[in-house]
Amino acid sequence: MAAGAAVNSSIIESLKGIETIKAYSGEEKVYNRIDHEFVKLMKKSFRTVTLDNIQQGIKHLIQLISSALILWLGSYFVMDNRISLGQLITYNALLVFFTDPLQNIINLQVKMQTAQVANNRLNEIFAIDSEKSNQSFEYMLSEQLFQQDITVKNVSFSYSMKAPTLNEISCTIPSHSITAIVGVSGSGKSTLAKLFVRFYEASEGSIHYGNINHLDIPFQILRDRVTYLPQESFFFSGTIIENLIFGLDSPPSFEQIIEVCEIVQLNEFINQQPLRYETLLEEGGNNLSGGQRQRLAIARALLKNPDILILDEATSGLDTLLEHAIMNYLLNLKEKTIIFIAHHLPIAKACDQILVLHEGHLVEKGTHDELRFADGIYQKLWEI
Ligand SMILES: Nc1ncnc2c1ncn2[C@@H]1O[C@H](COP(=O)(O)OP(=O)(O)OP(=O)(O)O)[C@@H](O)[C@H]1O
Ligand SMILES: [Mg+2]
């Protein structure tokens, strides 16, 4: 079972990564790896079948020997007048009812092994903590909760047993402000962003929306009002419009959809398609360019109309003009709190506050003018 799962996951992984495999001419390596896994599976299956056959052989042999023995001994007793012929025949016929269940018990052994593996895998699933939601606080949440400041207090976080990815982060993100989180790759920017929507939970410290700890806010409400937009969003196989209104409680009007598509400058492209908004997207949006996917994801987030929008390098695939236009639109949204995670520093320049992360520590915070020549990481990032 485990070997079968390994072969399956290798095949799925290689199909998903087919472009990278082709680009790096890695077909042979991947083929060999799957071949190796397949041979392992075949060897294991062969061993299981051989074991099963040996068991069956032994079982039949015992069956034959015992019937011969019973008939031989029985005939001897009949000839000796110790039992009647009828008794021997009845005994022999009824013996099957005893030996059959016995055989079934022997056959159970292979099945037990398979069940044992399945049981281990089930236990692995039970060992995963499910997302725990605290429903009891629901009644305390006001409509205005996400229109208030976000306070991060001494937040530390580590992925499993690794060294902490975030260390004692403390900051305030004022309501309706625009904050940029910058830092070199691997400094912990995405990790911090994911803590805001509770994809992970901080090992120490807390995050408060207004005066409510975010752990006390039910997931559905939290993620309804705080939207995290990753660099690579996922699209389902379905039409453009189905993907745009995905997860919305009340579907927006067609005018609203056109409006957001105009903001992200996707209307022209959609109108060029024969089926326009009914155009089918392939799994993962593979029939769109990277930038088109990002624009569609931004449009989807805007339609959701959250109070707090976190964009994790969500405009990195756009050309400068388009990025500038979308940025300008977002900067002018006065009733939203926006957090940009940005590699592109001009985005940070236009923000009200910049948080600079370095190796999981919050090393600088301030405006562009305060940090530009502060002789810190931010200055270095500008001067690279
Ligand atoms: N799911 C994960 N499991 C284990 N470690 C992870 C996971 N995601 C990230 N990390 C580790 O946490 C650290 C911070 O990663 P993070 O993605 O937050 O960085 P980042 O600042 O967003 O980088 P980038 O600019 O490259 O996106 C990295 O060292 C990374 O290896
Ligand atoms: Mg990141």
Side-chain angles (χ1 to χ4, degrees), residues 157-160 162-163 165-166 182-194 200 228 231 312-313 341 343 357 360:
F157 173 79
S158 38
Y159 288 102
S160 56
K162 285 170 73 174
T165 302
L166 295 175
V182 300
V184 294
S185 178
S187 52
K189 305 180 296 290
S190 300
T191 307
L192 179 60
K194 287 173 189 169
Y200 303 110
Y228 169 73
Q231 189 175 354
D312 191 348
E313 292 171 32
I341 292 171
H343 265 158
L357 286 187

PDB file of all heavy atoms in Angstrom, residues 157-160 162-163 165-166 182-194 200 228 231 312-313 341 343 357 360, ligand 1:
ATOM      1  N   PHE A 157       7.295  32.566  16.061  1.00  0.00           N
ATOM      2  CA  PHE A 157       6.714  31.410  15.390  1.00  0.00           C
ATOM      3  C   PHE A 157       7.820  30.529  14.817  1.00  0.00           C
ATOM      4  O   PHE A 157       8.819  31.035  14.309  1.00  0.00           O
ATOM      5  CB  PHE A 157       5.800  31.883  14.241  1.00  0.00           C
ATOM      6  CG  PHE A 157       5.297  30.755  13.381  1.00  0.00           C
ATOM      7  CD1 PHE A 157       4.237  29.957  13.807  1.00  0.00           C
ATOM      8  CD2 PHE A 157       5.905  30.457  12.172  1.00  0.00           C
ATOM      9  CE1 PHE A 157       3.781  28.899  13.029  1.00  0.00           C
ATOM     10  CE2 PHE A 157       5.463  29.405  11.384  1.00  0.00           C
ATOM     11  CZ  PHE A 157       4.408  28.623  11.817  1.00  0.00           C
ATOM     12  N   SER A 158       7.653  29.211  14.939  1.00  0.00           N
ATOM     13  CA  SER A 158       8.595  28.335  14.229  1.00  0.00           C
ATOM     14  C   SER A 158       7.820  27.213  13.555  1.00  0.00           C
ATOM     15  O   SER A 158       6.799  26.752  14.068  1.00  0.00           O
ATOM     16  CB  SER A 158       9.659  27.775  15.160  1.00  0.00           C
ATOM     17  OG  SER A 158       9.105  27.474  16.391  1.00  0.00           O
ATOM     18  N   TYR A 159       8.300  26.836  12.378  1.00  0.00           N
ATOM     19  CA  TYR A 159       7.716  25.712  11.663  1.00  0.00           C
ATOM     20  C   TYR A 159       8.236  24.433  12.309  1.00  0.00           C
ATOM     21  O   TYR A 159       9.449  24.232  12.366  1.00  0.00           O
ATOM     22  CB  TYR A 159       8.147  25.720  10.186  1.00  0.00           C
ATOM     23  CG  TYR A 159       7.498  26.807   9.370  1.00  0.00           C
ATOM     24  CD1 TYR A 159       8.195  27.971   9.044  1.00  0.00           C
ATOM     25  CD2 TYR A 159       6.205  26.672   8.897  1.00  0.00           C
ATOM     26  CE1 TYR A 159       7.608  28.962   8.270  1.00  0.00           C
ATOM     27  CE2 TYR A 159       5.610  27.661   8.132  1.00  0.00           C
ATOM     28  CZ  TYR A 159       6.313  28.797   7.821  1.00  0.00           C
ATOM     29  OH  TYR A 159       5.733  29.768   7.061  1.00  0.00           O
ATOM     30  N   SER A 160       7.383  23.611  12.809  1.00  0.00           N
ATOM     31  CA  SER A 160       7.708  22.356  13.517  1.00  0.00           C
ATOM     32  C   SER A 160       8.888  22.545  14.463  1.00  0.00           C
ATOM     33  O   SER A 160       8.874  23.433  15.285  1.00  0.00           O
ATOM     34  CB  SER A 160       7.906  21.197  12.533  1.00  0.00           C
ATOM     35  OG  SER A 160       8.900  21.527  11.606  1.00  0.00           O
ATOM     36  N   LYS A 162      11.912  23.441  13.783  1.00  0.00           N
ATOM     37  CA  LYS A 162      12.992  24.307  13.276  1.00  0.00           C
ATOM     38  C   LYS A 162      13.220  25.513  14.197  1.00  0.00           C
ATOM     39  O   LYS A 162      12.378  25.834  15.037  1.00  0.00           O
ATOM     40  CB  LYS A 162      12.626  24.808  11.880  1.00  0.00           C
ATOM     41  CG  LYS A 162      12.794  23.735  10.812  1.00  0.00           C
ATOM     42  CD  LYS A 162      12.201  24.169   9.512  1.00  0.00           C
ATOM     43  CE  LYS A 162      13.021  25.221   8.814  1.00  0.00           C
ATOM     44  NZ  LYS A 162      12.472  25.512   7.471  1.00  0.00           N
ATOM     45  N   ALA A 163      14.354  26.176  14.008  1.00  0.00           N
ATOM     46  CA  ALA A 163      14.635  27.402  14.763  1.00  0.00           C
ATOM     47  C   ALA A 163      13.547  28.419  14.418  1.00  0.00           C
ATOM     48  O   ALA A 163      12.985  28.373  13.326  1.00  0.00           O
ATOM     49  CB  ALA A 163      16.001  27.928  14.352  1.00  0.00           C
ATOM     50  N   THR A 165      11.187  31.096  13.015  1.00  0.00           N
ATOM     51  CA  THR A 165      11.170  31.854  11.753  1.00  0.00           C
ATOM     52  C   THR A 165      10.860  33.310  12.047  1.00  0.00           C
ATOM     53  O   THR A 165      11.328  34.215  11.363  1.00  0.00           O
ATOM     54  CB  THR A 165      10.095  31.250  10.823  1.00  0.00           C
ATOM     55  OG1 THR A 165      10.415  29.889  10.627  1.00  0.00           O
ATOM     56  CG2 THR A 165      10.035  31.956   9.494  1.00  0.00           C
ATOM     57  N   LEU A 166      10.040  33.547  13.094  1.00  0.00           N
ATOM     58  CA  LEU A 166       9.751  34.919  13.516  1.00  0.00           C
ATOM     59  C   LEU A 166      10.108  35.049  14.992  1.00  0.00           C
ATOM     60  O   LEU A 166       9.835  34.139  15.784  1.00  0.00           O
ATOM     61  CB  LEU A 166       8.266  35.239  13.324  1.00  0.00           C
ATOM     62  CG  LEU A 166       7.753  35.254  11.883  1.00  0.00           C
ATOM     63  CD1 LEU A 166       6.246  35.465  11.873  1.00  0.00           C
ATOM     64  CD2 LEU A 166       8.431  36.337  11.062  1.00  0.00           C
ATOM     65  N   VAL A 182       8.853  44.596   4.023  1.00  0.00           N
ATOM     66  CA  VAL A 182       9.944  44.311   3.093  1.00  0.00           C
ATOM     67  C   VAL A 182      11.049  43.534   3.809  1.00  0.00           C
ATOM     68  O   VAL A 182      11.074  43.446   5.043  1.00  0.00           O
ATOM     69  CB  VAL A 182      10.525  45.602   2.451  1.00  0.00           C
ATOM     70  CG1 VAL A 182       9.469  46.363   1.677  1.00  0.00           C
ATOM     71  CG2 VAL A 182      11.136  46.502   3.514  1.00  0.00           C
ATOM     72  N   GLY A 183      11.952  43.000   3.020  1.00  0.00           N
ATOM     73  CA  GLY A 183      13.058  42.221   3.588  1.00  0.00           C
ATOM     74  C   GLY A 183      13.556  41.261   2.533  1.00  0.00           C
ATOM     75  O   GLY A 183      12.854  41.007   1.542  1.00  0.00           O
ATOM     76  N   VAL A 184      14.740  40.715   2.785  1.00  0.00           N
ATOM     77  CA  VAL A 184      15.294  39.801   1.787  1.00  0.00           C
ATOM     78  C   VAL A 184      14.496  38.497   1.782  1.00  0.00           C
ATOM     79  O   VAL A 184      13.712  38.235   2.695  1.00  0.00           O
ATOM     80  CB  VAL A 184      16.799  39.506   2.048  1.00  0.00           C
ATOM     81  CG1 VAL A 184      17.628  40.763   1.864  1.00  0.00           C
ATOM     82  CG2 VAL A 184      16.984  38.908   3.428  1.00  0.00           C
ATOM     83  N   SER A 185      14.726  37.695   0.750  1.00  0.00           N
ATOM     84  CA  SER A 185      14.017  36.427   0.625  1.00  0.00           C
ATOM     85  C   SER A 185      14.304  35.535   1.840  1.00  0.00           C
ATOM     86  O   SER A 185      15.450  35.431   2.283  1.00  0.00           O
ATOM     87  CB  SER A 185      14.474  35.739  -0.660  1.00  0.00           C
ATOM     88  OG  SER A 185      13.854  34.513  -0.773  1.00  0.00           O
ATOM     89  N   GLY A 186      13.252  34.951   2.387  1.00  0.00           N
ATOM     90  CA  GLY A 186      13.426  34.045   3.536  1.00  0.00           C
ATOM     91  C   GLY A 186      13.427  34.764   4.869  1.00  0.00           C
ATOM     92  O   GLY A 186      13.660  34.156   5.916  1.00  0.00           O
ATOM     93  N   SER A 187      13.152  36.088   4.880  1.00  0.00           N
ATOM     94  CA  SER A 187      13.216  36.829   6.141  1.00  0.00           C
ATOM     95  C   SER A 187      11.969  36.619   7.002  1.00  0.00           C
ATOM     96  O   SER A 187      11.930  37.024   8.154  1.00  0.00           O
ATOM     97  CB  SER A 187      13.435  38.324   5.869  1.00  0.00           C
ATOM     98  OG  SER A 187      12.470  38.790   4.953  1.00  0.00           O
ATOM     99  N   GLY A 188      10.912  36.018   6.421  1.00  0.00           N
ATOM    100  CA  GLY A 188       9.722  35.699   7.227  1.00  0.00           C
ATOM    101  C   GLY A 188       8.493  36.524   6.878  1.00  0.00           C
ATOM    102  O   GLY A 188       7.500  36.495   7.617  1.00  0.00           O
ATOM    103  N   LYS A 189       8.521  37.228   5.749  1.00  0.00           N
ATOM    104  CA  LYS A 189       7.416  38.124   5.380  1.00  0.00           C
ATOM    105  C   LYS A 189       6.103  37.343   5.175  1.00  0.00           C
ATOM    106  O   LYS A 189       5.079  37.677   5.760  1.00  0.00           O
ATOM    107  CB  LYS A 189       7.759  38.909   4.092  1.00  0.00           C
ATOM    108  CG  LYS A 189       9.060  39.690   4.180  1.00  0.00           C
ATOM    109  CD  LYS A 189       9.346  40.441   2.919  1.00  0.00           C
ATOM    110  CE  LYS A 189       9.571  39.577   1.708  1.00  0.00           C
ATOM    111  NZ  LYS A 189      10.824  38.801   1.726  1.00  0.00           N
ATOM    112  N   SER A 190       6.178  36.302   4.332  1.00  0.00           N
ATOM    113  CA  SER A 190       4.952  35.531   4.048  1.00  0.00           C
ATOM    114  C   SER A 190       4.459  34.844   5.312  1.00  0.00           C
ATOM    115  O   SER A 190       3.253  34.756   5.547  1.00  0.00           O
ATOM    116  CB  SER A 190       5.215  34.475   2.978  1.00  0.00           C
ATOM    117  OG  SER A 190       5.627  35.090   1.808  1.00  0.00           O
ATOM    118  N   THR A 191       5.392  34.374   6.137  1.00  0.00           N
ATOM    119  CA  THR A 191       5.002  33.685   7.372  1.00  0.00           C
ATOM    120  C   THR A 191       4.200  34.633   8.250  1.00  0.00           C
ATOM    121  O   THR A 191       3.140  34.266   8.772  1.00  0.00           O
ATOM    122  CB  THR A 191       6.254  33.183   8.114  1.00  0.00           C
ATOM    123  OG1 THR A 191       7.031  32.423   7.193  1.00  0.00           O
ATOM    124  CG2 THR A 191       5.899  32.343   9.305  1.00  0.00           C
ATOM    125  N   LEU A 192       4.687  35.873   8.403  1.00  0.00           N
ATOM    126  CA  LEU A 192       3.975  36.850   9.229  1.00  0.00           C
ATOM    127  C   LEU A 192       2.585  37.111   8.635  1.00  0.00           C
ATOM    128  O   LEU A 192       1.586  37.139   9.364  1.00  0.00           O
ATOM    129  CB  LEU A 192       4.789  38.155   9.314  1.00  0.00           C
ATOM    130  CG  LEU A 192       4.167  39.277  10.127  1.00  0.00           C
ATOM    131  CD1 LEU A 192       3.947  38.859  11.567  1.00  0.00           C
ATOM    132  CD2 LEU A 192       5.043  40.544  10.099  1.00  0.00           C
ATOM    133  N   ALA A 193       2.541  37.253   7.300  1.00  0.00           N
ATOM    134  CA  ALA A 193       1.241  37.524   6.656  1.00  0.00           C
ATOM    135  C   ALA A 193       0.256  36.389   6.919  1.00  0.00           C
ATOM    136  O   ALA A 193      -0.925  36.619   7.175  1.00  0.00           O
ATOM    137  CB  ALA A 193       1.442  37.713   5.161  1.00  0.00           C
ATOM    138  N   LYS A 194       0.759  35.153   6.873  1.00  0.00           N
ATOM    139  CA  LYS A 194      -0.132  34.006   7.060  1.00  0.00           C
ATOM    140  C   LYS A 194      -0.646  33.915   8.498  1.00  0.00           C
ATOM    141  O   LYS A 194      -1.703  33.353   8.753  1.00  0.00           O
ATOM    142  CB  LYS A 194       0.582  32.705   6.662  1.00  0.00           C
ATOM    143  CG  LYS A 194       0.721  32.600   5.152  1.00  0.00           C
ATOM    144  CD  LYS A 194       1.548  31.422   4.748  1.00  0.00           C
ATOM    145  CE  LYS A 194       1.855  31.483   3.266  1.00  0.00           C
ATOM    146  NZ  LYS A 194       2.864  30.511   2.867  1.00  0.00           N
ATOM    147  N   TYR A 200      -1.329  29.719  10.172  1.00  0.00           N
ATOM    148  CA  TYR A 200      -0.533  29.150  11.263  1.00  0.00           C
ATOM    149  C   TYR A 200      -0.840  29.934  12.518  1.00  0.00           C
ATOM    150  O   TYR A 200      -1.350  31.047  12.436  1.00  0.00           O
ATOM    151  CB  TYR A 200       0.972  29.269  10.962  1.00  0.00           C
ATOM    152  CG  TYR A 200       1.388  28.619   9.675  1.00  0.00           C
ATOM    153  CD1 TYR A 200       1.781  29.395   8.594  1.00  0.00           C
ATOM    154  CD2 TYR A 200       1.402  27.237   9.536  1.00  0.00           C
ATOM    155  CE1 TYR A 200       2.167  28.800   7.397  1.00  0.00           C
ATOM    156  CE2 TYR A 200       1.785  26.644   8.353  1.00  0.00           C
ATOM    157  CZ  TYR A 200       2.163  27.435   7.281  1.00  0.00           C
ATOM    158  OH  TYR A 200       2.536  26.853   6.114  1.00  0.00           O
ATOM    159  N   TYR A 228      -6.030  37.179   2.308  1.00  0.00           N
ATOM    160  CA  TYR A 228      -4.601  37.013   2.014  1.00  0.00           C
ATOM    161  C   TYR A 228      -4.467  36.579   0.560  1.00  0.00           C
ATOM    162  O   TYR A 228      -5.054  35.580   0.153  1.00  0.00           O
ATOM    163  CB  TYR A 228      -4.005  35.956   2.950  1.00  0.00           C
ATOM    164  CG  TYR A 228      -2.611  35.525   2.564  1.00  0.00           C
ATOM    165  CD1 TYR A 228      -1.521  36.371   2.761  1.00  0.00           C
ATOM    166  CD2 TYR A 228      -2.371  34.281   1.987  1.00  0.00           C
ATOM    167  CE1 TYR A 228      -0.244  35.984   2.401  1.00  0.00           C
ATOM    168  CE2 TYR A 228      -1.096  33.884   1.627  1.00  0.00           C
ATOM    169  CZ  TYR A 228      -0.039  34.746   1.842  1.00  0.00           C
ATOM    170  OH  TYR A 228       1.225  34.361   1.476  1.00  0.00           O
ATOM    171  N   GLN A 231       1.235  34.973  -3.894  1.00  0.00           N
ATOM    172  CA  GLN A 231       1.841  35.317  -5.185  1.00  0.00           C
ATOM    173  C   GLN A 231       1.220  34.471  -6.299  1.00  0.00           C
ATOM    174  O   GLN A 231       0.945  34.942  -7.383  1.00  0.00           O
ATOM    175  CB  GLN A 231       3.342  35.070  -5.118  1.00  0.00           C
ATOM    176  CG  GLN A 231       4.066  35.597  -6.334  1.00  0.00           C
ATOM    177  CD  GLN A 231       5.571  35.461  -6.191  1.00  0.00           C
ATOM    178  OE1 GLN A 231       6.067  35.079  -5.122  1.00  0.00           O
ATOM    179  NE2 GLN A 231       6.290  35.760  -7.236  1.00  0.00           N
ATOM    180  N   ASP A 312       0.608  39.422  -0.976  1.00  0.00           N
ATOM    181  CA  ASP A 312       1.951  38.856  -0.833  1.00  0.00           C
ATOM    182  C   ASP A 312       2.610  38.789  -2.214  1.00  0.00           C
ATOM    183  O   ASP A 312       2.466  37.808  -2.932  1.00  0.00           O
ATOM    184  CB  ASP A 312       1.849  37.449  -0.216  1.00  0.00           C
ATOM    185  CG  ASP A 312       3.205  36.915   0.206  1.00  0.00           C
ATOM    186  OD1 ASP A 312       4.220  37.525  -0.181  1.00  0.00           O
ATOM    187  OD2 ASP A 312       3.250  35.888   0.908  1.00  0.00           O
ATOM    188  N   GLU A 313       3.295  39.831  -2.546  1.00  0.00           N
ATOM    189  CA  GLU A 313       3.937  39.955  -3.874  1.00  0.00           C
ATOM    190  C   GLU A 313       2.944  39.616  -4.975  1.00  0.00           C
ATOM    191  O   GLU A 313       3.292  38.982  -5.975  1.00  0.00           O
ATOM    192  CB  GLU A 313       5.166  39.063  -3.946  1.00  0.00           C
ATOM    193  CG  GLU A 313       6.251  39.590  -3.026  1.00  0.00           C
ATOM    194  CD  GLU A 313       7.420  38.663  -2.857  1.00  0.00           C
ATOM    195  OE1 GLU A 313       7.708  37.954  -3.816  1.00  0.00           O
ATOM    196  OE2 GLU A 313       8.006  38.669  -1.779  1.00  0.00           O
ATOM    197  N   ILE A 341       3.268  43.017   0.745  1.00  0.00           N
ATOM    198  CA  ILE A 341       4.577  42.402   0.928  1.00  0.00           C
ATOM    199  C   ILE A 341       5.265  42.621  -0.395  1.00  0.00           C
ATOM    200  O   ILE A 341       4.755  42.197  -1.441  1.00  0.00           O
ATOM    201  CB  ILE A 341       4.439  40.920   1.272  1.00  0.00           C
ATOM    202  CG1 ILE A 341       3.815  40.839   2.650  1.00  0.00           C
ATOM    203  CG2 ILE A 341       5.797  40.217   1.235  1.00  0.00           C
ATOM    204  CD1 ILE A 341       3.413  39.500   3.060  1.00  0.00           C
ATOM    205  N   HIS A 343       8.717  43.087  -2.942  1.00  0.00           N
ATOM    206  CA  HIS A 343      10.123  43.065  -3.325  1.00  0.00           C
ATOM    207  C   HIS A 343      10.444  44.370  -4.035  1.00  0.00           C
ATOM    208  O   HIS A 343      11.563  44.847  -4.010  1.00  0.00           O
ATOM    209  CB  HIS A 343      10.367  41.901  -4.298  1.00  0.00           C
ATOM    210  CG  HIS A 343      10.843  40.680  -3.597  1.00  0.00           C
ATOM    211  ND1 HIS A 343      10.714  39.430  -4.119  1.00  0.00           N
ATOM    212  CD2 HIS A 343      11.450  40.521  -2.404  1.00  0.00           C
ATOM    213  CE1 HIS A 343      11.210  38.557  -3.289  1.00  0.00           C
ATOM    214  NE2 HIS A 343      11.663  39.187  -2.232  1.00  0.00           N
ATOM    215  N   LEU A 357      11.785  43.306   7.792  1.00  0.00           N
ATOM    216  CA  LEU A 357      12.103  42.053   8.478  1.00  0.00           C
ATOM    217  C   LEU A 357      13.485  41.586   8.040  1.00  0.00           C
ATOM    218  O   LEU A 357      13.851  41.711   6.875  1.00  0.00           O
ATOM    219  CB  LEU A 357      11.087  40.970   8.119  1.00  0.00           C
ATOM    220  CG  LEU A 357       9.681  41.053   8.722  1.00  0.00           C
ATOM    221  CD1 LEU A 357       8.897  39.802   8.374  1.00  0.00           C
ATOM    222  CD2 LEU A 357       9.738  41.201  10.240  1.00  0.00           C
ATOM    223  N   GLY A 360      13.841  36.972  10.493  1.00  0.00           N
ATOM    224  CA  GLY A 360      12.752  36.755  11.443  1.00  0.00           C
ATOM    225  C   GLY A 360      12.610  37.826  12.504  1.00  0.00           C
ATOM    226  O   GLY A 360      11.772  37.705  13.390  1.00  0.00           O
TER     227      GLY A 360
HETATM  228  N1  LIG B   1       5.780  25.533   5.124  1.00  0.00           N
HETATM  229  C1  LIG B   1       6.996  25.704   5.623  1.00  0.00           C
HETATM  230  N2  LIG B   1       7.578  24.732   6.360  1.00  0.00           N
HETATM  231  C2  LIG B   1       8.793  24.897   6.900  1.00  0.00           C
HETATM  232  N3  LIG B   1       9.536  25.997   6.754  1.00  0.00           N
HETATM  233  C3  LIG B   1       9.029  27.005   6.026  1.00  0.00           C
HETATM  234  C4  LIG B   1       7.729  26.907   5.423  1.00  0.00           C
HETATM  235  N4  LIG B   1       7.478  28.063   4.765  1.00  0.00           N
HETATM  236  C5  LIG B   1       8.569  28.841   4.952  1.00  0.00           C
HETATM  237  N5  LIG B   1       9.486  28.222   5.695  1.00  0.00           N
HETATM  238  C6  LIG B   1      10.783  28.764   6.127  1.00  0.00           C
HETATM  239  O1  LIG B   1      10.544  29.972   6.842  1.00  0.00           O
HETATM  240  C7  LIG B   1      11.471  30.976   6.484  1.00  0.00           C
HETATM  241  C8  LIG B   1      10.724  32.229   6.073  1.00  0.00           C
HETATM  242  O2  LIG B   1       9.940  31.943   4.939  1.00  0.00           O
HETATM  243  P1  LIG B   1       8.940  33.003   4.302  1.00  0.00           P
HETATM  244  O3  LIG B   1       8.217  32.315   3.205  1.00  0.00           O
HETATM  245  O4  LIG B   1       8.137  33.623   5.374  1.00  0.00           O
HETATM  246  O5  LIG B   1       9.970  34.061   3.726  1.00  0.00           O
HETATM  247  P2  LIG B   1       9.708  35.342   2.826  1.00  0.00           P
HETATM  248  O6  LIG B   1      10.314  36.507   3.539  1.00  0.00           O
HETATM  249  O7  LIG B   1       8.271  35.426   2.461  1.00  0.00           O
HETATM  250  O8  LIG B   1      10.590  34.995   1.546  1.00  0.00           O
HETATM  251  P3  LIG B   1      10.307  35.344   0.007  1.00  0.00           P
HETATM  252  O9  LIG B   1      10.630  36.794  -0.164  1.00  0.00           O
HETATM  253  O10 LIG B   1      11.295  34.482  -0.690  1.00  0.00           O
HETATM  254  O11 LIG B   1       8.897  35.004  -0.300  1.00  0.00           O
HETATM  255  C9  LIG B   1      12.338  30.391   5.358  1.00  0.00           C
HETATM  256  O12 LIG B   1      13.592  30.084   5.916  1.00  0.00           O
HETATM  257  C10 LIG B   1      11.630  29.133   4.936  1.00  0.00           C
HETATM  258  O13 LIG B   1      12.551  28.116   4.670  1.00  0.00           O
END
